[in-house]
Amino acid sequence: MSPTDAAPRAAAAAPARRGVLTTEAWLQAPSAAPGVFRVRPLPGEATASYVQRLADTYRLTLPQLLDGAGITLTGHGGLPAAELHLNHNAARNLAALTRTPLPHLKRALPRLAPNDDAHSTEAVAHWKRLKAGQQPVRACTLCIRHRSPNATDTAWAHRPPHRLVCPHHHQAAPDPRLTTPIHTQGVPELAAAHRAHQRLLRHPRASTAWTAARAITTRWYDHQRHLTHRWHTRLTQLRATNPHLTTTGSASPALLARDLVIYPETVVLARTLATLRSQPRRDTGKALSLIAHRLGLPRLPLNANDPLHVFLTHTRH
């Protein structure tokens, strides 16, 4: 066969191999060759955060990285208001690019690949807006540097309640509106609360007790009840070492740091409620005395509308 005859055949075959050729050309670029850098995902990291850190490492934009991995990106968005959702084939491509087994990647990235289009033949990623309560928060900068020395120190994570505080590096990010984590060295009771929270997780009623306790302490905080002086002191301590709390948009420091300020008492209350629910008969007066003692209060006067009173008198036990 002459070179003249082979050219049309090569041209005809080109469209069928366009995606492969594009990917191969991208892989040949020295600054973007996969496998040169290992970027380890953080536990619970947002998919968009991990892909962006990966792109930063290779000095690419997020769309360029996905295109090079053979993934089609649709829609527009950005962290923390939106998350990047990859279908199954796109997740497989990302796992191949990072040389990370897909099951491991899914465990680290909880929003990676929902099983809603497992039969799609294309590798597709799309942006999806998140509700306020679903938005990720800033991850500990020192944890990021430890896992990925060559990547940026900015990452976002879908943080479960028991990971509110990083006990190793004394950082926390209780609100998505915070662009920088809060340093907690000046409030040592936060690290102690983190350790107590880990022990609480072993209790069979930990989840329901935590939900109830957080609702109660949040209501107390918002209505300035029972623990106001202590919480005001803790907020003042946090503001003293975190001046950025006062410069984050229109949100007040009292709101941005609320979950962090009430964290120690929420853990104490959750541990107590988990125990109370296991009692066959509950004396409300004795329960209040016990809770007040655990919280370091001389007494805990409640009116009929107080959320703790409602919990003690209406929760089945």
Side-chain angles (χ1 to χ4, degrees), residues 65-290:
L65 181 85
L66 293 177
D67 181 65
I71 300 171
T72 301
L73 177 63
T74 62
H76 300 278
L79 290 163
E83 173 63 298
L84 194 63
H85 284 245
L86 278 64
N87 69 0
H88 181 71
N89 284 341
R92 289 179 57 187
N93 287 12
L94 182 64
L97 175 67
T98 60
R99 293 189 296 144
T100 303
L102 184 56
H104 295 181
L105 207 57
K106 284 187 175 182
R107 280 196 293 270
L109 309 177
R111 306 292 180 90
L112 175 61
N115 294 320
D116 54 0
D117 52 3
H119 301 293
S120 173
T121 58
E122 297 184 41
V124 178
H126 68 276
W127 286 102
K128 182 176 181 181
R129 292 193 61 82
L130 300 173
K131 297 179 180 178
Q134 300 174 327
Q135 293 178 7
V137 296
R138 290 281 186 174
C140 172
T141 55
L142 295 179
C143 285
I144 302 167
R145 293 171 190 170
H146 174 72
R147 285 178 168 266
S148 305
N150 297 315
T152 176
D153 61 359
T154 298
W156 298 81
H158 296 283
R159 169 191 51 75
H162 63 277
R163 291 182 187 156
L164 176 63
V165 177
C166 174
H168 304 295
H169 305 123
H170 304 288
Q171 291 189 18
D175 192 285
R177 287 168 291 190
L178 286 166
T179 56
T180 304
I182 296 175
H183 298 282
T184 62
Q185 298 96 322
V187 191
E189 62 263 36
L190 294 174
H194 172 83
R195 292 191 294 270
H197 202 165
Q198 310 315 301
R199 294 192 295 272
L200 171 63
L201 295 177
R202 295 194 288 266
H203 196 284
R205 283 176 288 276
S207 179
T208 54
W210 171 262
T211 300
R214 184 176 180 277
I216 292 167
T217 53
T218 299
R219 178 79 174 275
W220 287 352
Y221 183 87
D222 291 343
H223 292 267
Q224 300 185 10
R225 299 292 304 275
H226 309 307
L227 297 154
T228 302
H229 177 72
R230 186 188 307 176
W231 286 337
H232 178 75
T233 300
R234 191 174 295 149
L235 178 60
T236 301
Q237 293 171 331
L238 290 171
R239 290 180 64 178
T241 54
N242 296 277
H244 63 281
L245 276 173
T246 62
T247 59
T248 303
S250 59
S252 69
L255 183 59
L256 291 171
R258 178 176 60 187
D259 283 356
L260 200 57
V261 170
I262 66 176
Y263 185 54
E265 289 72 28
T266 304
V267 174
V268 170
L269 182 58
R271 293 181 68 189
T272 308
L273 295 182
T275 303
L276 289 176
R277 284 179 61 89
S278 65
Q279 296 177 353
R281 292 184 180 181
R282 178 187 302 159
D283 184 307
T284 302
K286 289 183 178 179
L288 286 176
S289 296
L290 175 62

